[in-house]
Amino acid sequence: MSIQDWLFNPAGLTPHGFCLSWSPSLIGLHVVSDAVIGLAYFSIPVAIAEFVRRRPDLRYGWVAYLFVAFILACGTTHFMGILTLWVPAYGVEGLIKLLTAVLSIATAALLWPLIPKAAAMPSAAQLEVLNQDLERRVAERVQELQELNARLTAALEEKVLAQQAQAHSDAHFRASFESAAVGQVHYDPVSGVILRANHAYAAMLGYQPEDLVGRQGSDFTYPDDKDPSNYAQMLSGAGDGYAREKRYLRRDGTPVWGRVSASLVRAPGAGEPLLAVAVVEDIDEGHKAQIALRQAKHDLEVVVEERTAALAQRDLLLREVYHRVKNNLQIVDSMLLMQARRLADPDAKAALENLRGRVYALGLVHHQLMGSKDLETFDVAPFLEELSRHLLEGAGRAEVGLSVRAAPLKVGLDFAIPLGLLVTELVTNSMKHAFDGGPGAIDVTLDNAEAGEVVLQVSDNGRGYDPAAFSATPSLGASIVGGLVRQLRGVLTISNEGGTRSVVRLPAPVHA
């Protein structure tokens, strides 16, 4: 027997259509059923592959491609079922089934070792601990920066006081000038020899006044600051005087900054220079203070830049943390969805769906914080609207109407998470127990009450609840609701008024 006969007509076997007596209705039923199943099998792996392509950050994403190959092989077997109705290609069909078996065994063999690794991924509680630790560290860093900023402010105030002292010193020097308390020197206008010097000038240089008489004035100018051009211009008549700042040379060889104002006393008529007069102000401390002030300003600008960079790094780090927490919660949601699809027990599937709602609430909180300006608070109104709509759409209850009215309220992470979980539980309970699969309406409101208090209300127009049965056998949802209300330091009241009405009075969130 040739390979072609073995693949398409082994031992002269008849096609499956013969077994169905070529009944058009049976053949049509098998063709339509296998075609629909095969198309579904081909659609599912395409969706899985597209999901993995869009989420390159998923760990163990390659496992999805094993599922893609396995499901494609399964779909091919159904299309072969259509072919074998007319063509006895049982050899080809057997090879495809063998390939399907190999892929299924490989998928199962590689999937089981991944279960402990997936289970070892951080839980929401662990992520919350990590987030709290990060917030603590950021708060400590901010505290350090605030303390540093306070010290810098104090230093700046000291520099301002020094500048004010400098201004006072200048005023004092001007007053001393009028009373001859500032340095005054008289020179011979031609030779530059000191004729007279007052005590203030001599003290500035570390001499007695008589020690200076008879010496050249240029001898007490710091070598690098000697510039006779100003004096030469004044002597030639180009100007009545000049003023400049320069360094003088003290007796011990150290420089001292002074401001000199020079002028000439000329003879009447001919205008010949008779005397050169210089008034010298000691500005050494002021000049040093200005240098120190410029340095302090530079140092302050550096610190401000570092602080600004640190705050920007903190914002970037917080956004990255919120982004990663949200992504990890989305991974958890995907895993819960995959697990729910594999379960046959409706109670177990319902429990996983409830858990998905709680995980979505946590992820939505971090998503809102990630988009806020200060990375600490956000408006709760759009958050409650999006959360409630998601719960209704996820439950597939299009016949149930939903109304969400929330007053603008800034909330932080510690308030938003338990509030979101509380709304998730109350809305989910109404959808599960209030309407028996029929139409209905759910209202969610959040209003400001008295000062420092807000009121959350979730009500429906369903069949109500049995208080005796509720208190006798509290469910997991009721326990969660009670725990969340206690965490928020609130008070819960449940009543039957044309349905079930849950009212929670909460202290308003306080932000630093």
Side-chain angles (χ1 to χ4, degrees):
M1 178 184 299
S2 65
I3 293 178
Q4 182 176 359
D5 290 339
W6 185 84
L7 291 174
F8 295 98
N9 190 16
L13 298 176
T14 60
H16 279 161
F18 180 82
C19 298
L20 301 176
S21 299
W22 300 108
S23 172
S25 60
L26 289 176
I27 291 176
L29 175 62
H30 281 270
V31 169
V32 172
S33 299
D34 282 331
V36 171
I37 294 173
L39 290 175
Y41 270 119
F42 272 57
S43 175
I44 291 172
V46 171
I48 293 175
E50 177 64 16
F51 174 77
V52 174
R53 185 188 68 80
R54 294 185 182 183
R55 290 294 306 276
D57 59 315
L58 288 177
R59 296 181 65 184
Y60 316 120
W62 53 270
V63 176
Y65 290 109
L66 287 177
F67 278 101
V68 168
F70 168 61
I71 297 173
L72 286 175
C74 291
T76 305
T77 60
H78 285 275
F79 286 119
M80 286 303 302
I82 298 175
L83 178 63
T84 55
L85 288 173
W86 289 279
V87 180
Y90 301 124
V92 176
E93 184 180 27
L95 291 176
I96 293 175
K97 288 183 176 180
L98 175 61
L99 176 62
T100 304
V102 172
L103 290 173
S104 62
I105 291 174
T107 303
L110 293 174
L111 183 61
W112 278 104
L114 291 180
I115 292 178
K117 298 179 180 179
M121 294 176 66
S123 64
Q126 291 172 327
L127 292 175
E128 178 64 20
V129 171
L130 177 61
N131 185 47
Q132 292 176 355
D133 180 67
L134 180 59
E135 290 180 348
R136 177 186 59 79
R137 292 166 59 188
V138 170
E140 291 175 353
R141 181 56 179 163
V142 170
Q143 179 65 26
E144 293 176 0
L145 292 175
Q146 290 175 345
E147 294 175 356
L148 179 59
N149 184 56
R151 292 197 296 270
L152 291 173
T153 302
L156 181 60
E157 291 176 353
E158 292 179 359
K159 296 303 179 184
V160 171
L161 292 176
Q163 190 175 21
Q164 293 173 350
Q166 169 70 24
H168 178 73
S169 177
D170 290 343
H172 173 72
F173 277 116
R174 285 192 297 271
S176 299
F177 171 78
E178 294 174 357
S179 62
V182 297
Q184 287 190 1
V185 189
H186 292 175
Y187 301 92
D188 180 274
V190 178
S191 64
V193 174
I194 297 176
L195 302 176
R196 287 177 296 273
N198 70 352
H199 183 78
Y201 179 73
M204 184 183 76
L205 300 180
Y207 294 92
Q208 293 297 322
E210 57 272 17
D211 296 333
L212 302 178
V213 175
R215 300 182 62 176
Q216 289 286 332
S218 59
D219 292 344
F220 303 101
T221 299
Y222 196 76
D224 293 342
D225 290 352
K226 290 182 177 181
D227 183 7
S229 59
N230 291 327
Y231 185 80
Q233 289 179 359
M234 182 182 68
L235 191 63
S236 65
D240 294 333
Y242 72 91
R244 61 177 292 223
E245 293 181 359
K246 65 177 182 177
R247 286 171 293 180
Y248 288 86
L249 197 61
R250 284 194 177 106
R251 188 169 192 169
D252 59 5
T254 59
V256 56
W257 279 92
R259 181 185 294 114
V260 56
S261 299
S263 60
L264 286 176
V265 178
R266 296 182 180 274
E272 292 295 326
L274 300 177
L275 184 68
V277 178
V279 178
V280 181
E281 297 179 67
D282 185 352
I283 61 170
D284 191 62
E285 292 298 328
H287 198 278
K288 291 179 179 178
Q290 290 179 355
I291 295 176
L293 186 60
R294 287 195 294 269
Q295 182 62 40
K297 181 180 178 181
H298 173 73
D299 294 341
L300 181 60
E301 290 174 349
V302 171
V303 172
V304 169
E305 291 177 357
E306 292 176 352
R307 180 171 179 260
T308 302
L311 290 176
Q313 183 66 22
R314 171 255 187 188
D315 289 350
L316 180 62
L317 184 60
L318 279 180
R319 291 187 191 277
E320 180 65 16
V321 168
Y322 291 148
H323 178 69
R324 293 196 178 190
V325 169
K326 185 191 73 170
N327 285 348
N328 289 336
L329 290 175
Q330 288 177 343
I331 293 174
V332 173
D333 180 73
S334 299
M335 296 177 63
L336 291 174
L337 177 61
M338 294 175 62
Q339 185 64 36
R341 289 176 175 175
R342 296 173 63 90
L343 294 175
D345 185 357
D347 291 337
K349 295 184 70 172
L352 287 183
E353 289 297 329
N354 291 340
L355 182 57
R356 288 186 64 208
R358 297 163 190 149
V359 170
Y360 180 83
L362 295 175
L364 186 58
V365 169
H366 285 84
H367 178 74
Q368 295 287 339
L369 284 173
M370 185 176 64
S372 67
K373 292 182 179 180
D374 59 3
L375 298 176
E376 294 179 357
T377 61
F378 62 91
D379 188 5
V380 76
F383 165 73
L384 292 180
E385 174 74 19
E386 183 174 351
L387 176 62
S388 302
R389 295 294 176 191
H390 174 81
L391 293 172
L392 186 64
E393 293 172 1
R397 299 296 300 273
E399 73 278 6
V400 177
L402 176 65
S403 173
V404 180
R405 300 183 304 277
L409 178 65
K410 289 289 186 179
V411 298
L413 186 68
D414 294 337
F415 187 89
I417 286 180
L419 179 66
L421 293 176
L422 182 59
V423 171
T424 299
E425 296 299 327
L426 294 177
V427 172
T428 301
N429 286 342
S430 293
M431 288 189 295
K432 288 174 57 179
H433 305 297
F435 308 115
D436 293 329
I442 299 175
D443 290 327
V444 178
T445 62
L446 182 70
D447 295 316
N448 294 315
E450 300 175 357
E453 190 176 60
V454 295
V455 177
L456 171 68
Q457 179 175 285
V458 179
S459 60
D460 61 64
N461 61 352
R463 62 181 181 180
Y465 81 109
D466 185 359
F470 181 85
S471 59
T473 57
S475 63
L476 175 61
S479 299
I480 293 176
V481 168
L484 293 172
V485 171
R486 287 191 297 272
Q487 181 178 348
L488 291 168
R489 296 183 291 113
V491 177
L492 171 65
T493 303
I494 304 177
S495 60
N496 285 321
E497 297 178 7
T500 300
R501 184 183 304 272
S502 301
V503 180
V504 185
R505 305 186 74 87
L506 304 169
V510 178
H511 308 296

